[in-house]
Amino acid sequence: KAIKLPDDATAQLGDSARKWLDRYDIQPFERHRYRMLWSESRQQLIFPLYDKGQQLVAWQCRNHQ
């Protein structure tokens, strides 16, 4: 079964996600480098994991509810 991100996953991070990342001094270039995403409907900061062929193989998240 193919792994799928939430339909509303976007690189436009929510306020709570940005504040959390700022607390740990995670810079915008790191957010971009690691392709961090935001799901508004789930209120989740998403960390996708890709293989060498750029195929999504897994993802984990941090809840912000």
Side-chain angles (χ1 to χ4, degrees), residues 29-58:
F29 78 90
E30 294 171 295
R31 300 169 194 180
H32 178 73
R33 180 179 185 183
Y34 296 107
R35 302 180 189 182
M36 294 177 191
L37 302 170
W38 176 253
S39 169
E40 183 65 30
S41 65
R42 296 173 182 226
Q43 292 291 294
Q44 291 177 332
L45 179 61
I46 299 169
F47 302 89
L49 302 169
Y50 298 91
D51 65 13
K52 290 181 182 179
Q54 300 306 308
Q55 178 95 17
L56 181 67
V57 294

Side-chain angles (χ1 to χ4, degrees), residues 14-26:
D15 288 337
S16 62
R18 280 194 306 274
K19 288 177 186 175
W20 184 83
L21 291 166
D22 288 346
R23 268 194 350 223
Y24 296 98
D25 199 30
I26 298 172

